[in-house]
Amino acid sequence: FFALFKSFQPKIRINPSYTLNQITGLLKSFPLSFSVAFINIIAFASINKFGNLPRWVDSNFGFSSSAPFMEWVMRSVTSDFLYSSALHFYLCAGGLFIVMAWAEKTERRSFLIPFFLISVLLNDFVNYLMMVLPFKYFHPELFQQLTEEMDVGGSILLSILLGLQICQFKKHR
């Protein structure tokens, strides 16, 4: 195989205009996916320095129901773009990019953009009301621990978009 490959002496010729057209075509096809990926990469590079999330960032910007109520909206939005470690970033941000690109292919942009923005704004509130608050009545000893835990990362957004896409399977049966 390598002898055959070497005998043809292939030369790679990169055409800059073709490459630029392919990149701009991808950016036009998936603007929301690339925008969110860009925000995630910039936040991860500048805040985490491609490592673990500093503790002061987690305590000041991570969403926690024990935080003052007036900070909930700001923390809900900022915590979606913070990641606790490099592995957390690669798995959640990578998965979010893939599922969001999939959603951009199957959903109208006029639906997906408001849906995503509302999800970014409300995901931590819904998580608190549906997952954490019931522990106050059913397991009070766990409630205190759950309210102190900081929630960061796009994992809830990934779950929301994956749920949206799974609903598409039923729609197209």
Side-chain angles (χ1 to χ4, degrees), residues 16-31:
S17 64
Y18 175 78
T19 305
L20 184 63
N21 287 338
Q22 292 299 313
I23 292 172
T24 56
L26 281 173
L27 291 173
K28 287 178 184 175
S29 297
F30 305 104

Side-chain angles (χ1 to χ4, degrees), residues 17-64:
S17 64
Y18 175 78
T19 305
L20 184 63
N21 287 338
Q22 292 299 313
I23 292 172
T24 56
L26 281 173
L27 291 173
K28 287 178 184 175
S29 297
F30 305 104
L32 186 60
S33 301
F34 281 106
S35 299
V36 172
F38 181 72
I39 292 168
N40 277 323
I41 290 169
I42 294 299
F44 186 69
S46 62
I47 296 170
N48 291 52
K49 310 276 190 270
F50 297 103
N52 292 333
L53 184 68
R55 192 74 192 139
W56 69 269
V57 174
D58 191 19
S59 61
N60 289 332
F61 298 106
F63 183 83
S64 171

Side-chain angles (χ1 to χ4, degrees), residues 132-146:
V132 176
L133 192 59
F135 279 93
K136 184 176 185 176
Y137 304 105
F138 299 118
H139 292 287
E141 65 278 358
L142 291 177
F143 178 73
Q144 185 64 28
Q145 293 173 356
L146 288 172

